[in-house]
Amino acid sequence: VRERTFSIIKPDAVKQAHIGAIYHQIESAGLRIVAAKMLHLSKAQAEGFYGEHEGKPFYDALIEFMTQGPIMVQVLEGENAIEVYRNLMGATDPSQAEAGTLRANYGSGMPANATHGSDSAEAVSREIAFFFSDDEIIG
Ligand code: CMP
């Protein structure tokens, strides 16, 4: 099924100039980038986006990390985009991620794991709406 997913290139990967390499892997996997922008999250924005993790031991470090520099946010589209992009990213912890995946290639640890991707259709809807209006997404 052709579907959309939501992707973040996190501050560690933007700072290390890996945007182009990550876009190349995304496009090579058959996913189209149908919306994109760079932004520097405020603390309130990061807390809003990662609200489900509030109270977890890594939450403060995650918010600190996600606000330390600019990120790229994207909407990706393609066949089974949610699963294809999650497989492309690899395991959440870069040290556990399969060789060649985005997190193995560009992540350095936790929370600095280079990329985020939605984990369900419900998350896709919420996460896309958090960053994009409908007229910013190419149909
Ligand atoms: P992400 O896919 O964006 O979802 C939540 C993020 O929290 C995750 O990627 C990591 O960046 C971070 N994270 C998850 N678990 C841990 C952990 N145990 N320690 C530190 N950071 C974590």
Side-chain angles (χ1 to χ4, degrees), residues 5-82:
T5 192
F6 172 76
S7 150
I8 300 178
I9 301 178
K10 296 187 179 184
D12 56 331
V14 171
K15 189 175 183 182
Q16 294 172 75
H18 293 317
I19 297 169
I22 291 171
Y23 274 18
H24 181 67
Q25 277 195 245
I26 288 171
E27 293 186 316
S28 296
L31 299 171
R32 309 285 304 184
I33 299 165
V34 296
K37 60 179 124 178
M38 178 178 275
L39 48 101
H40 191 150
L41 291 180
S42 67
K43 190 161 184 278
Q45 282 177 306
E47 288 172 347
F49 184 76
Y50 278 122
E52 68 187 285
H53 296 300
E54 193 179 352
K56 292 184 184 171
F58 59 84
Y59 178 73
D60 289 352
L62 175 62
I63 299 305
E64 168 72 22
F65 166 65
M66 289 300 295
T67 55
Q68 76 181 19
I71 62 172
M72 292 294 304
V73 293
Q74 297 72 229
V75 178
L76 311 179
E77 195 173 281
E79 281 295 313
N80 302 317
I82 298 172

